[in-house]
Each structure stands twice: as structure tokens, then as C-alpha cells.
Amino acid sequence: MLCSACSARRDWLLINRGRHVWIVCRCGHQWLEPEIRRADFDALVGAPDWTHHDSVQEGLVALGFDGAFAGLYLG
């Protein structure tokens, strides 16, 4: 799987909203990923300490997925 905007193969943020899982790339591009179900997401993540932000946009900025780090891989 590649980001259609910048061809990145990794360093993505997964966001679950309702029954859907969205992928957000460091370049700021985001898309609905129909192959990842909410149950799959919950089973993979399983973290008891969630960070909640007042809005999705606030979370994207706080985590560096608003396009500010486009082209960089944090690893």
C-alpha cells in the first residue's frame, strides 16, 4: 500500500471514527481504508491509555500528521 499523494509506504496514522478506519500520511493526505475494519483496529491497538483531542484536526497537528513533516520518515 502506498500513499497516492507522495508514495510513502509507512509512518501513517490510523484513526477510527465510528465503524470506519482512516489512514493519514505525514504529507497530510488521508483516505478511508475499507480493508481495515473497526474490530481489526481495536484488536491491533489494544492500548488502555488513549490520548483524546478536541478535534481530529487538533490531533493531526499535535502528532505531526498535518503535512508539516511531508517527505520525512520518523523512525
Side-chain angles (χ1 to χ4, degrees):
M1 184 179 332
L2 296 172
C3 172
S4 62
C6 72
S7 299
R9 296 177 186 261
R10 59 186 174 96
D11 200 19
W12 297 331
L13 177 68
L14 276 69
I15 298 174
N16 62 17
R17 297 210 57 195
R19 297 181 315 174
H20 302 288
V21 175
W22 293 83
I23 296 178
V24 184
C25 183
R26 288 273 176 202
C27 74
H29 180 68
Q30 53 187 291
W31 64 96
L32 174 65
E33 183 49 61
E35 294 184 20
I36 302 175
R37 298 175 305 137
R38 173 68 185 261
D40 298 329
F41 178 91
D42 291 341
L44 286 172
V45 176
D49 297 322
W50 293 98
T51 300
H52 294 276
H53 298 280
D54 291 334
S55 70
V56 172
Q57 187 60 37
E58 182 182 300
L60 295 176
V61 171
L63 297 169
F65 283 90
D66 61 339
F69 294 110
L72 298 176
Y73 283 110
L74 304 177

